[in-house]
């Protein structure tokens, strides 16, 4: 039976890299049926909203989507489609693998790690008190009653971390490790300073680690972890991080292995999954054929694995490796002159090439 997948081409370079990805995934021959749903700028032009209800309905039906980048319009009053999707579908885990790729110049060979980032809580929960606002003054006075003093000219961002939120991301991380052959989880935290937020996250991690002893677990303060990552990233397997640290370290890890044109990602919940590259819509190169489709193609490989098509996922990743290690067909961001379509064609044809035939 064919797998139904919602395809959101996106804005800017989105349609180009989406088409390239669709071509490669179709070439695996596993039978994918694409349900194309426009969101973003084209949806605004046609329907007056960047995220029409039909898009969410489609994902609720297919349960899985491949998504191109979507421009976040500034000053139009529209909420970010990316934030809205995450919220509406409760995609509480961001998963971002970083893997050294053959033939891509980097100081760190042998990196193969995954960042799992909590997507809904922490300092990114959006609980903001502006400096000088009446509610901020009220907050100051309440805090004084509890013996906490903050300056009158302070702005405040609140960091909530709940047992519910922590437990589900921790359980997700252990389940992910088991499903993907990862043997060791490192939790990054600053629990010695933030006792009741990071400290709670750490406590839940320890509790869950007891019942998941088949997967190794260690905890590390986030500053020390950052140093260790830049010294010897090959020591790490899976990093589990609260929202803010996860945002920062997932970019750091992408940088370890060669940049935005190569960084795939997924937003996952218990029910739905949306796969997308880490990069944005790159308006500066949209329409020029210069976009590197590999980040989205590798996001497509993650999607295949999620669908239970592990062999096809591996063959896409191996085809990408082969094209990169040959070093002939590359987009300008990797120092080459090939177009988006030429890279897609090379990966699709490498899918069906036996080793030794090159
Ligand atoms: P961007 O990632 O689109 O571009 C940053 C730089 O990297 C640009 O110079 C671009 O040309 C280059 N680049 C990005 N992807 C590339 C690729 N596949 N191949 C070659 N070069 C690539 O970030 P920017 O410019 O900050 O954002 C543009 C728009 O995308 C904004 O509206 C932003 O809100 C949106 N965005 C959407 C995301 C999503 O849909 N998940 C994620 C990040 C940004
Ligand atoms: Mg970020």
């Amino acid at each position: 039976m064919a797998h139904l997948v919602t395809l959101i081409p996106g804005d800017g370079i989105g349609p180009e890299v989406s088409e390239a990805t669709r071509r490669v995934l179709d070439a695996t021959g596993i039978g994918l049926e694409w349900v194309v749903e426009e969101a973003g700028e084209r949806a605004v032009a046609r329907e007056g909203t960047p995220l029409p209800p039909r898009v969410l309905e489609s994902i609720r039906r297919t349960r899985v989507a491949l998504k191109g980048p979507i421009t976040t319009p500034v000053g139009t009053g529209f909420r970010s489609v990316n934030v809205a999707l995450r919220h509406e579908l409760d995609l509480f885990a961001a998963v971002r693998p970083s893997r050294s790729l053959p033939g891509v110049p980097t100081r760190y060979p042998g990196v193969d790690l995954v960042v799992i980032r909590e997507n809904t809580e922490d300092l990114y929960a959006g609980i903001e008190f502006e400096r000088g606002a009446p509610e901020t003054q009220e907050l100051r006075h309440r805090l004084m009653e509890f013996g906490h003093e903050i300056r009158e000219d302070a702005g405040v961002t609140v960091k909530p971390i709940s047992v519910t939120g922590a437990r589900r991301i921790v359980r997700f991380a252990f389940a992910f490790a088991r499903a993907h052959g990862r043997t060791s989880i490192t939790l990054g935290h600053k629990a010695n300073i933030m006792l009741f937020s990071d400290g709670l996250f750490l406590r839940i991690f320890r509790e869950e680690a007891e019942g998941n002893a088949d997967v190794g677990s260690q905890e590390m303060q986030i500053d020390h972890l950052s140093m260790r990552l830049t010294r010897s990233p090959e020591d790490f397997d899976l990093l589990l991080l609260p929202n803010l640290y996860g945002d920062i370290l997932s970019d750091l890890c992408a940088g370890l292995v060669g940049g935005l044109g190569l960084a795939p990602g997924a937003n996952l919940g218990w029910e739905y999954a949306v796969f997308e590259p880490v990069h944005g819509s790159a308006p500066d190169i949209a329409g020029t054929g210069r976009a590197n489709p590999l980040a989205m193609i590798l996001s497509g490989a993650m999607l295949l694995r999620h669908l239970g098509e592990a062999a096809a996922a591996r063959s896409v990743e191996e085809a990408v490796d082969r094209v990169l290690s040959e070093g002939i067909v590359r987009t300008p961001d990797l120092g080459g002159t090939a177009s988006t379509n030429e890279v897609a064609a090379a990966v699709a044809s490498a899918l069906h090439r036996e080793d030794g035939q090159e």
Side-chain angles (χ1 to χ4, degrees):
M1 209 181 66
H3 299 285
L4 270 182
V5 179
T6 299
L7 177 67
I8 304 171
D11 297 323
I13 62 171
E16 303 163 56
V17 293
S18 293
E19 192 46 45
T21 302
R22 180 174 172 164
R23 176 172 180 180
V24 169
L25 299 191
D26 284 343
T28 63
I30 59 160
L32 292 163
E33 196 176 313
W34 301 102
V35 182
V36 179
E37 296 287 350
E38 297 287 352
E41 287 168 342
R42 274 187 275 185
V44 172
R46 251 182 253 154
E47 293 157 83
T49 168
L51 186 59
R54 60 173 169 75
V55 179
L56 288 168
E57 281 158 21
S58 175
I59 301 173
R60 290 202 171 101
R61 193 162 54 86
T62 63
R63 308 179 89 80
V64 56
L66 181 64
K67 177 186 159 296
I70 291 179
T71 300
T72 300
V74 181
T76 57
F78 288 120
R79 191 175 167 209
S80 153
V81 169
N82 305 306
V83 173
L85 270 179
R86 207 181 294 165
H87 179 83
E88 294 290 331
L89 301 173
D90 203 17
L91 304 170
F92 62 85
V95 176
R96 292 174 171 184
S98 291
R99 180 169 67 94
S100 304
L101 293 159
V104 176
T106 156
R107 274 180 235 185
Y108 304 98
V111 176
D112 179 12
L113 48 81
V114 175
V115 170
I116 293 186
R117 162 187 174 192
E118 200 286 323
N119 241 350
T120 65
E121 298 197 314
D122 195 350
L123 287 162
Y124 288 23
I127 308 173
E128 299 282 344
F129 290 85
E130 189 181 2
R131 173 183 75 107
E135 62 269 23
T136 310
Q137 294 313 316
E138 208 174 311
L139 179 71
R140 274 186 66 237
H141 291 123
R142 289 309 304 269
L143 287 172
M144 267 180 226
E145 290 169 23
F146 295 115
H148 300 297
E149 200 169 321
I150 52 177
R151 292 199 176 95
E152 194 174 355
D153 55 357
V156 178
T157 299
V158 176
K159 172 165 170 152
I161 290 187
S162 68
V163 170
T164 308
R167 200 178 296 285
R168 70 176 179 176
I169 191 74
V170 170
R171 286 188 176 166
F172 174 91
F174 279 104
F176 182 95
R178 203 169 282 119
H180 295 84
R182 299 271 161 183
T183 55
S184 156
I185 301 182
T186 304
L187 171 74
H189 67 88
K190 199 72 187 175
N192 54 327
I193 307 290
M194 284 165 277
L195 306 177
F196 302 129
S197 49
D198 282 17
L200 181 150
F201 201 104
L202 176 59
R203 181 167 63 74
I204 300 297
F205 179 69
R206 287 177 180 164
E207 278 176 26
E208 293 292 327
E210 268 180 40
N212 289 281
D214 57 316
V215 178
S217 58
Q218 62 174 334
E219 43 195 68
M220 205 171 277
Q221 290 190 16
I222 193 69
D223 40 359
H224 183 61
L225 174 58
S226 306
M227 184 279 284
R228 289 280 306 274
L229 277 170
T230 56
R231 245 180 109 115
S232 48
E234 66 281 0
D235 291 349
F236 297 93
D237 190 11
L238 193 159
L239 306 179
L240 171 60
L241 301 161
N243 210 338
L244 170 67
Y245 310 142
D247 188 10
I248 297 168
L249 290 198
S250 58
D251 275 34
L252 185 150
C253 292
L256 293 176
V257 298
L260 276 179
L262 298 168
N267 295 295
L268 307 176
W270 292 128
E271 291 187 78
Y272 309 110
V274 176
F275 296 83
E276 62 176 337
V278 172
H279 65 72
S281 54
D284 52 333
I285 57 168
T288 65
R290 293 166 61 89
N292 187 344
L294 294 179
M296 186 139 178
I297 290 171
L298 292 169
S299 306
M302 293 176 75
L303 179 151
L304 295 181
R305 196 165 276 117
H306 175 83
L307 293 174
E309 299 285 358
R314 213 166 26 249
S315 67
V316 169
E317 288 162 354
E318 284 168 7
V320 168
D321 283 6
R322 209 170 289 167
V323 169
L324 282 173
S325 59
E326 286 166 5
I328 300 164
V329 186
R330 288 176 178 206
T331 43
D333 59 310
L334 297 179
T337 55
S339 69
T340 309
N341 286 336
E342 285 163 351
V343 171
V347 174
S349 86
L351 270 176
H352 301 298
R353 218 172 343 131
E354 299 295 325
D355 279 328
Q357 230 182 287
E358 47 225 59

